[in-house]
Amino acid sequence: MTHMNTIPIYIGYDRRMPVTYHVAAHSIARRASHAVSFSPIIITALQKQGLMTRPLQANQSTEFSFSRFLVPYLMNYKGWAIFMDNDVVVLDDIVNLWKLRNDKYTVMCVKHDHIPENNIKFLGEQQLKYKKKNWSSVMLLNCSKCKILTPEYINSASGLDLHRFNWLEGDHLIGEIPHEWNFLIDYDPGELEDQKILHYTDGGPYYSTFENCQFSEVWVNERHHMLKATEKSLGEVFPNEVIKTI
């Protein structure tokens, strides 16, 4: 599948929290000024295709911990694509992230210096601590330069090799994007109005134990906006557009 006229966006999907995928996609769609295409990274589908053969491990916090690195393969190693975790709300036009891609790099991300204090994440998952943690949670991928990321490699490489980008020939191939494009809830300092992507990395208000996390109301409001149907006519929603009935 090609995406010549759309921005290809891959979002992690976890069967334990499907609502997060839909809220993330909705937050992008309602603000986008260019056509986008969404592809959920669904582990069961990839397993049926024979693309993911490694068993789920106790220390991976989501079902897409490793399968995210299949994005270049799924893109036929052509063009650029965006990957992001499911536990996000995108507050800006995704085009502004897309414009940051630079062909000199293989991958671009926010270069967090993130050392979590807790040892446990959401649902009691182990909180792993390693260099470049959360770098891979929002990525611009230059797919033609990621040909080492074959299904065979992804199924055999260690999690740390994948997430620390050890498959690259050097860190000079990792471009940096502004911090506001992957703001870590309850960790990063900053005001809400300055952020582009809120990342509920330890858990968000979709879990009862995280109902009062930082900026929880943003995710709740985004979900409410997604679920609420409008009673306005198309002419009211698009007052400056010519609406034709077919």
Side-chain angles (χ1 to χ4, degrees):
M1 177 169 48
T2 60
H3 302 269
M4 295 293 291
N5 298 311
T6 65
I7 298 174
I9 302 169
Y10 291 79
I11 302 175
Y13 186 91
D14 193 308
R15 288 169 291 177
R16 299 169 299 174
M17 43 182 176
V19 65
T20 56
Y21 168 85
H22 295 287
V23 170
H26 174 74
S27 71
I28 295 170
R30 67 182 287 215
R31 297 173 175 90
S33 63
H34 188 88
V36 299
S37 59
F38 293 113
S39 299
I41 301 292
I42 305 173
I43 188 67
T44 51
L46 296 171
Q47 289 171 336
K48 291 175 182 177
Q49 289 180 267
L51 297 178
M52 285 301 296
T53 57
R54 66 190 298 164
L56 293 174
Q57 299 176 5
N59 62 354
Q60 65 179 89
S61 58
T62 66
E63 292 185 323
F64 52 87
S65 291
F66 306 126
S67 54
R68 71 186 69 205
F69 295 100
L70 280 171
V71 168
Y73 173 85
L74 298 173
M75 289 284 295
N76 295 316
Y77 303 109
K78 295 178 180 179
W80 285 78
I82 295 172
F83 169 84
M84 63 181 66
D85 282 4
N86 56 350
D87 50 352
V88 302
V89 173
V90 179
L91 299 176
D92 194 47
D93 187 346
I94 199 67
V95 169
N96 293 325
L97 175 60
W98 189 243
K99 288 177 179 178
L100 298 177
R101 63 199 193 283
N102 186 327
D103 285 331
K104 67 183 287 187
Y105 299 116
T106 301
V107 62
M108 301 181 70
C109 61
V110 174
K111 296 183 176 181
H112 291 289
D113 183 15
H114 177 45
I115 303 176
E117 297 178 359
N118 299 326
N119 294 317
I120 301 296
K121 292 185 68 172
F122 52 85
L123 299 183
E125 305 292 353
Q126 182 181 359
Q127 176 76 274
L128 297 180
K129 301 177 183 181
Y130 55 87
K131 186 179 180 181
K132 299 188 177 78
K133 185 173 179 64
N134 267 310
W135 287 27
S136 63
S137 56
V138 176
M139 297 184 285
L140 281 165
L141 290 159
N142 191 352
C143 298
S144 65
K145 294 186 176 183
C146 297
K147 292 181 179 178
I148 190 175
L149 293 179
T150 63
E152 293 76 19
Y153 177 81
I154 293 165
N155 282 293
S156 60
S158 71
L160 288 178
D161 279 345
L162 290 168
H163 287 282
R164 291 189 298 192
F165 302 99
N166 290 346
W167 42 274
L168 293 174
E169 294 182 357
D171 285 356
H172 65 283
L173 297 174
I174 307 173
E176 186 167 10
I177 60 178
H179 194 275
E180 58 265 26
W181 285 104
N182 193 355
F183 179 88
L184 303 181
I185 294 293
D186 286 330
Y187 288 107
D188 290 338
E191 301 300 323
L192 176 61
E193 58 267 23
D194 299 325
Q195 310 314 321
K196 310 292 188 183
I197 294 179
L198 299 182
H199 183 189
Y200 298 81
T201 180
D202 276 355
Y206 36 88
Y207 296 133
S208 59
T209 51
F210 292 93
E211 287 179 341
N212 297 317
C213 69
Q214 183 187 27
F215 302 146
S216 61
E217 71 282 359
V218 178
W219 190 92
V220 171
N221 290 340
E222 197 69 31
R223 177 181 179 273
H224 176 73
H225 186 276
M226 178 183 72
L227 294 175
K228 184 179 179 182
T230 180
E231 297 178 358
K232 294 181 179 180
S233 68
L234 285 180
E236 291 177 294
V237 176
F238 304 105
N240 298 320
E241 302 289 336
V242 177
I243 306 299
K244 294 183 179 179
T245 303
I246 300 177

